[in-house]
Amino acid sequence: MGESEKKDNSTLIFNETTFPVMEQIMEGMPGGFFIYHADEDGRLIYANKALMEIYGCSSEEEFREHTGYKFSGLVHPDDLKEVNNQIMHQIQEREDGLDHVNYRILRKDGRIRYIEDYGHFVHTKVYGDIFYVFVEDATERYLERQRAEENKSLIEEKIRALEKLEHKTNTLNTVYEMLDSSMWTMEFDFRGKLESVSWSDEFRRMLDYTDETDFPNVLEAWSDLIHKDDKERVMEDFYDTIANRSKKKIFDAEYQILTREKGYRWHH
């Protein structure tokens, strides 16, 4: 037996006997699955119902009309060139013919979703060179990663801003108001003696107070409300932070504080 025959015997074979069996299996799968020709035309050979649902199509006719029943019709136009380049690069670099790509799709209703695509390049006796592909809708994972990156960038931006604005109380107040955060600021002299206190409106509202009349800008307005079980620990950490000259110690405390209307509440 020649080398070419050995290789051909190990490839995936589609014919009138195996294809109906494969269709039965793939129709019951929760994820999308499709097969397409590995040529410039990229015409689809098969697509299961789960794939059509990912694209917002309720029938094969709708799916064919929406995508042209071609691989190029499955990928967002702005991503198609890069996706094709990635697929070709991966199958050329790997002996197993596998590829893994991510791309956007455009549903029938106009919404954009994000797809993870796991493909395999094979040679078949009946259909020639093809790709068979498993896909899943990865939109929620993508958006979660995107939110995490945005939150990370926002935190880094806040830290840089606060480092630049050290001791500039009015500007700090503006930053926190823009971020919709509750805060308080205190100014100390060079010996560490407290000179002034400023509670933000958001901080007062958090404790059910309204303004300086009922919650004045003095330390005791806050410290007198701390639960007796927590007060010694919290105040000790507070004064230790003030006394630390390295500027690296952070006052980081969780404690119960008496609100005006809701009783004691936990705060961080």
Side-chain angles (χ1 to χ4, degrees), residues 15 98 101 105 116 119 166:
N15 56 40
L98 296 174
V101 290
I105 68 167
E116 279 203 65
E166 187 177 9

Side-chain angles (χ1 to χ4, degrees), residues 39-40 63 81 100 104 166-167 181 207:
D39 55 24
E40 289 186 7
F63 181 73
K81 182 178 180 180
H100 174 216
R104 293 173 297 169
E166 187 177 9
H167 301 313
S181 300
L207 301 178

